[in-house]
Amino acid sequence: MRKIPVLLLGLLLSAAAARAQVDSVRASTLPPDQQAERLYNSGLAKFKQQSYRAAVLDFDKALAVKPDFARAYANRAAARYELKDYQPAVQDYDQAIKLEPNAFAAYFGKARAEEALQQPAEAEADYGRATERQADYAPAWYYRGALRFEKADYAAAKADFDAAIKADPSYAYAWHDRGSAQRRLGNLPAAIHDYSQALTLQPELLPALLNRAGTRRRAADLKGALQDYDAYLGKKQDNALAYTNRGATRYELKDYKGAVEDFGRAVALDAGYAFAWNNRAAAYLKLEDYKKAEADASKAISLNKDYAEAYLNRGHAREMLRQPDAACQDWRRAAELGLEVGLTHAANSGCP
C-alpha cells in the first residue's frame, strides 16, 4: 500500500521533466521579435548588475535577430558609455535616434558621450534636442547649463538652471550652480539665496557652503562668511584654499593671529602655495614680526619669481629690519611687475 504514493510522485516528476523539455524546444523557436525581447531583457538584467560587457553581448544578439530594435541600440550605447567606449556609444545612439527620432533619452545619452569625447559644442546641441523633446527632464537642462557656464556664458547658463529647477525644484546641484552663475553675474544676494537653498536640500553639499562663504565675503558680510568657513572646515580639514580664504576673512576682521594660524595650515597642506605664504607674511607684518614676514615673503618669491605683492611685503619687512637698500630693491621690483605703489614706497623712503 505504501508504494502507491511513491509511484505517483515518480509520475509527476516525469511529467514535469517532459514539460520542461517542451518549453526548451519552444524557446528556441520563438518568433524573432520575442527572441530579441528575451535577449534584450537579459541584457538589461546584466546592465543592472553592472556586468556591462555581458550586457553588450546580449544586446548584440538581440540586434542580430532584430536589426531595427531602437531600445537595444540605446541600451547598448549606455553599456558602452559605462565601459568608456564613447565613440561606439555615440554611433549606437545615432542608430537609436534614426529609428526613434523623438526619444529624448537617446539625445541625452549621446550628449554625455560627446562630453566625454571633449566635444562640447555637439554635446550642447544634443542636450538642447533632449529638452525640446521632454521639457520636464531636469538633467538635460542642468548639463547644458554646466557646459554654458564653462564657456563663460553665464546668462544662458542661468536660464538653463532656471529651467532645471522649474522641472525639479528638489535638484540641489541646479540650485548650487545657479548660485555660481548668479555670482558671476554680480547678483550676490541671489547667489547667497541659491546656495542656501542647495544646502537646505542637501546639507552635506560642502561646495555650496564654501561658495556661500566666498560670496558673503565678497558682499562684505565677513561674520557670515566666517561662520560658513568654520562650518566647512569643521567637516573637511584637507582644503588649503578654504584655510587661506578663512585666513583672509580673519585678516579683514583684524584677527591677525587667527589669520596666521589659517595661512600656516594652508602651507602645511600645500607647501607650494605661494599665495598663502605671502598672505601669512602680510599678517606677520601686522603683528610686527618682521623676521617671519621677510622669511614668508621670500618663500613666496622662491615659488613665484614674478609675485609683485610678495616683493612689496618683503620690502616692508626689510625696511623695518633696517635693510633699506634691500627694501628699495624689492619695491622697485614690485613696480617693474606692475604694482606701481612700489615706486610710491620707494620715494617715501628716500630710495636713491
Side-chain angles (χ1 to χ4, degrees), residues 131-142:
T131 65
E132 290 166 5
R133 286 156 177 80
Q134 186 141 335
D136 63 352
Y137 187 59
W141 293 107
Y142 172 77

Side-chain angles (χ1 to χ4, degrees), residues 35-281:
Q35 287 185 49
E37 194 72 34
R38 176 168 290 192
L39 291 162
Y40 169 78
N41 289 334
S42 175
L44 284 183
K46 290 171 183 174
F47 185 97
K48 290 176 182 177
Q49 295 165 1
Q50 299 183 0
S51 299
Y52 301 119
R53 294 197 184 280
V56 167
L57 292 175
D58 278 346
F59 295 134
D60 286 345
K61 293 173 185 175
L63 287 164
V65 176
K66 186 181 179 184
D68 61 349
F69 199 170
R71 285 178 294 139
Y73 278 114
N75 282 283
R76 187 173 70 177
R80 284 175 162 170
Y81 178 90
E82 296 296 337
L83 292 167
K84 296 182 170 51
D85 293 337
Y86 300 123
Q87 192 58 53
V90 168
Q91 293 168 356
D92 274 349
Y93 281 126
D94 280 335
Q95 282 297 114
I97 290 165
K98 183 178 178 181
L99 292 164
E100 291 184 358
N102 291 319
F104 81 95
Y107 282 108
F108 179 77
K110 182 184 174 189
R112 293 195 66 201
E114 287 165 337
E115 270 202 82
L117 288 167
Q118 304 296 313
Q119 298 172 353
E122 292 84 349
E124 183 179 343
D126 279 327
Y127 285 133
R129 294 180 183 109
T131 65
E132 290 166 5
R133 286 156 177 80
Q134 186 141 335
D136 63 352
Y137 187 59
W141 293 107
Y142 172 77
Y143 279 99
R144 188 175 73 172
L147 280 175
R148 289 176 165 178
F149 186 94
E150 287 173 6
K151 68 177 186 178
D153 190 352
Y154 302 120
K158 177 188 172 298
D160 278 349
F161 297 138
D162 287 344
I165 291 167
K166 180 180 178 182
D168 181 2
S170 66
Y171 202 159
Y173 284 97
W175 285 100
H176 173 272
D177 286 13
R178 189 175 75 172
S180 295
Q182 301 269 31
R183 182 178 177 181
R184 295 283 187 160
L185 292 166
N187 303 327
L188 302 186
I192 291 167
H193 169 270
D194 283 350
Y195 290 136
S196 298
Q197 186 63 27
L199 287 164
T200 298
L201 292 165
Q202 194 169 328
E204 296 306 312
L205 187 57
L206 295 186
L209 195 57
L210 192 60
N211 285 326
R212 188 175 69 180
T215 308
R216 282 176 164 169
R217 181 181 166 210
R218 186 174 161 189
D221 179 9
L222 297 179
K223 290 183 178 179
L226 188 59
Q227 289 174 355
D228 280 346
Y229 285 128
D230 287 347
Y232 177 89
L233 289 166
K235 298 178 179 180
K236 187 173 175 62
Q237 294 84 40
D238 61 351
N239 189 331
L241 176 61
Y243 280 112
T244 299
N245 287 342
R246 188 174 72 173
T249 304
R250 285 176 162 174
Y251 183 96
E252 291 170 21
L253 287 166
K254 304 187 186 310
D255 177 10
Y256 302 120
K257 289 183 179 179
V260 163
E261 181 183 338
D262 276 343
F263 296 137
R265 289 178 177 175
V267 299
L269 287 167
D270 182 359
Y273 195 179
F275 187 75
W277 286 104
N278 180 61
N279 280 5
R280 193 169 70 171

